Amino acid sequence: MDDTHPEVLPAAVPQGPAIEQPAKLIRIAAMIREMLEDVRQSKPDEAGRRRVREVYARALTGLKEGVSKELQDELETLTLPLENTPSESEVRLAQAQLLGWLEGLFQGIQAALWTQHMQARAEIDEMRRRRGLPPGPEMGPPRDPGQYL
């Protein structure tokens, strides 16, 4: 390594729990959101609540397949199984709890991506500064795309 071009090592990015199948998680979240809305708008009978319980159990299994062991454990501690024929309120609470967990998970992913973006930007700016290059474009509102978009 010479002094004119110092080696720049990537900053350590804190790694959170792994999301192994993000598209699957998004599909399950959309399904749960729709089911919750349907349960809120209607009064499911006993057979309907049993069916919701079955779908809920399968959704939990699917979610666990799409995330790391750490997130599986977290999900396991935060959700309670629906047993027998759950009441409407039990169904609504279970679905709302699961949907809240998923939304928190998605917000965590967005925050991690933003952090990685900002760290990469800082590294690029530091490399530009060391080499005497002008700074990159400032982050701001998007520019007018012109007549071609």
Side-chain angles (χ1 to χ4, degrees):
M1 174 170 94
D2 64 13
D3 289 336
T4 57
H5 295 9
E7 182 179 356
V8 177
L9 299 174
V13 176
Q15 293 295 321
I19 307 301
E20 297 162 3
Q21 299 177 27
K24 184 176 187 175
L25 295 180
I26 291 169
R27 287 190 307 272
I28 291 171
M31 178 197 65
I32 292 169
R33 184 177 288 119
E34 288 297 319
M35 280 179 42
L36 181 57
E37 188 60 34
D38 190 54
V39 170
R40 284 180 183 156
Q41 291 179 3
S42 67
K43 299 260 187 222
D45 61 8
E46 187 174 326
R49 292 191 312 272
R50 277 196 306 265
R51 178 71 177 146
V52 167
R53 182 195 72 215
E54 292 168 9
V55 171
Y56 176 80
R58 280 193 239 150
L60 280 175
T61 300
L63 287 173
K64 289 176 185 174
E65 291 171 357
V67 297
S68 68
K69 177 69 173 132
E70 181 180 303
L71 286 172
Q72 288 175 18
D73 293 344
E74 180 181 305
L75 185 58
E76 187 71 33
T77 62
L78 295 175
T79 56
L80 298 174
L82 294 174
E83 297 178 356
N84 302 321
T85 304
S87 68
E88 280 180 60
S89 61
E90 287 175 313
V91 167
R92 279 194 291 253
L93 287 171
Q95 289 177 323
Q97 180 184 27
L98 187 54
L99 193 54
W101 183 83
L102 282 165
E103 288 176 0
L105 180 65
F106 295 145
Q107 288 174 1
I109 292 168
Q110 288 175 333
L113 289 173
W114 180 252
T115 299
Q116 288 176 348
H117 169 76
M118 294 308 293
Q119 286 178 337
R121 183 173 171 84
E123 289 174 11
I124 290 169
D125 288 345
E126 178 61 20
M127 287 186 330
R128 286 177 176 269
R129 187 190 64 73
R130 286 183 182 176
R131 293 193 173 137
L133 298 172
E138 290 296 316
M139 299 263 313
R143 290 191 254 164
D144 183 17
Q147 63 183 354
Y148 296 105
L149 287 179

